[in-house]
Amino acid sequence: MDHLDRLESTSIHILREAYANFKSLCMLWSIGKDSTVMLWLAKKAFLGHVPIPLVHIDTSYKIPEMIEYRDRLTKEWNLDMVYGMNHEALKASETFPAGNTDRLTCCKMLKSEALRNTLSGRWPRHRFNHNLGKYEIDKNAEPFTGVIVGVRSDEEGSRSKERYFSPRDRENDWDIADQPPELWNHYKTDFAPGTHVRIHPLLDWTELNIWEYIERENIPTVSLYYNQGDGKRYRSLGCAPCTNPIESEARNVSEVIEELRSGQLSNIAERSGRAQDSEDGGGLESLRRDGYM
């Protein structure tokens, strides 16, 4: 068993623990490489069928290739796909691209608030109907209290403070100083009824591990991750107005892996192209305390 095998085995174990212990469970899918690897692991954990609804928070400012990719895989992999969004803020143009707020407030409105109210069922959810081939309003407003998220410890500072099973309060707020210990891979999965719990199967993975696994398993990814001929590629995907590509000649998965192994990016933060991080003091902790993914 090699290192990727061990990472895969641990993540699959956590996914199965989550499925066995949380009745109202969903998995967040950002469309990026990490949560897509997590989705692939879920396919493996449950013998090809993902029995957990996927939730995407659509800000309406995602790069169009991301939405096309989401809906293509939803059909091809027969996924139970749900998306939510902050219709009120968009309708009122209370967004950074509209010039009516700053980036952090925009993130809180379009991502954190949308996520909180989508998970709770207070705001409408849109669920893909495979018979009709389109999204429709979901009649099920039951709250999701167990939420699987594809964050990695090495991605940025606040994520290194997470647990595999991390409780939030009823409003998704995160108390970093009040988390259960996880010693010798003993996970706490018994929480008071109604507790909102984030589950993180990918905490031990690195950016390089993710790309090596994508190559080994031949997992489809968004073309934005690769240089299309202009000497640039996205290293981290987000909203179009606030996400910038990096200088890179990597045109495919193998070249991305070589780029990471060579150390060319060792002094550049993975999320350096995400403008909201710099406005949050160089990290995401204040956003994540309020429920950001």
Side-chain angles (χ1 to χ4, degrees):
M1 178 178 284
D2 65 16
H3 187 57
L4 287 183
D5 291 331
R6 285 190 286 273
L7 289 171
E8 178 190 71
S9 178
T10 299
S11 297
I12 285 176
H13 174 66
I14 293 169
L15 286 166
R16 288 174 174 165
E17 283 288 294
Y19 186 66
N21 287 283
F22 294 90
K23 291 183 178 179
S24 183
L25 185 66
C26 71
M27 179 184 297
L28 299 187
W29 187 24
S30 71
I31 322 298
K33 60 188 187 305
D34 302 328
S35 58
T36 301
V37 163
M38 190 172 64
L39 174 56
W40 184 267
L41 289 165
K43 282 167 64 71
K44 281 199 162 187
F46 303 106
L47 308 179
H49 169 65
V50 181
I52 305 165
L54 296 169
V55 173
H56 178 233
I57 299 304
D58 191 345
T59 63
S60 85
Y61 291 108
K62 297 296 183 184
I63 304 171
E65 287 96 321
M66 297 171 65
I67 303 301
E68 185 277 331
Y69 169 83
R70 179 195 73 185
D71 293 343
R72 178 167 56 82
L73 284 199
T74 293
K75 296 174 185 174
E76 291 179 359
W77 292 0
N78 193 33
L79 302 173
D80 184 5
M81 187 70 223
V82 176
Y83 79 81
M85 61 196 320
N86 190 337
H87 293 281
E88 293 299 319
L90 291 168
K91 185 178 179 181
S93 297
E94 295 176 359
T95 69
F96 171 76
N100 294 325
T101 188
D102 57 59
R103 283 192 173 94
L104 284 184
T105 304
C106 186
C107 271
K108 289 179 181 177
M109 297 289 289
L110 300 189
K111 295 181 179 177
S112 304
E113 283 296 314
L115 177 63
R116 178 180 294 115
N117 288 286
T118 297
L119 294 179
S120 70
R122 287 192 289 260
W123 288 0
R125 302 169 178 154
H126 306 261
R127 197 174 213 117
F128 191 79
N129 184 321
H130 283 271
N131 292 323
L132 299 177
K134 64 179 183 180
Y135 289 91
E136 55 187 16
I137 297 295
D138 188 8
K139 297 177 182 176
N140 181 3
E142 180 184 3
F144 292 117
T145 53
V147 184
I148 303 172
V149 188
V151 305
R152 305 183 341 257
S153 293
D154 77 323
E155 190 177 357
E156 56 84 32
S158 68
R159 290 173 178 176
S160 67
K161 302 173 184 175
E162 288 283 7
R163 300 289 191 269
Y164 298 105
F165 291 83
S166 178
R168 262 65 169 171
D169 68 15
R170 291 182 181 275
E171 295 301 319
N172 290 0
D173 292 338
W174 180 33
D175 184 352
I176 295 175
D178 185 20
Q179 299 188 89
E182 291 180 329
L183 304 176
W184 300 288
N185 292 336
H186 287 193
Y187 310 128
K188 177 176 171 55
T189 58
D190 183 20
F191 296 93
T195 302
H196 175 97
V197 179
R198 298 280 180 95
I199 300 136
H200 304 108
L202 300 184
L203 280 186
D204 298 333
W205 295 61
T206 66
E207 182 184 14
L208 178 58
N209 295 151
I210 290 291
W211 282 109
E212 289 172 334
Y213 192 71
I214 287 170
E215 182 179 57
R216 188 181 91 169
E217 302 287 314
N218 195 26
I219 302 172
T221 46
V222 183
S223 61
L224 296 163
Y225 280 122
Y226 314 107
N227 172 16
Q228 304 294 313
D230 60 356
K232 299 178 183 294
R233 73 174 185 87
Y234 286 88
R235 191 177 177 190
S236 178
L237 297 178
C239 293
C242 298
T243 309
N244 296 307
I246 62 169
E247 303 287 336
S248 172
E249 296 301 322
R251 297 172 180 266
N252 51 51
V253 176
S254 295
E255 292 180 6
V256 170
I257 292 171
E258 180 54 35
E259 187 176 64
L260 291 170
R261 285 177 176 166
S262 72
Q264 295 178 52
L265 304 178
S266 59
N267 293 322
I268 303 172
E270 183 177 347
R271 290 176 58 95
S272 60
R274 306 288 285 273
Q276 72 269 33
D277 288 26
S278 60
E279 291 196 5
D280 196 17
L284 282 174
E285 189 158 317
S286 62
L287 278 172
R288 298 197 77 244
R289 284 176 185 270
D290 288 335
Y292 185 87
M293 293 165 278

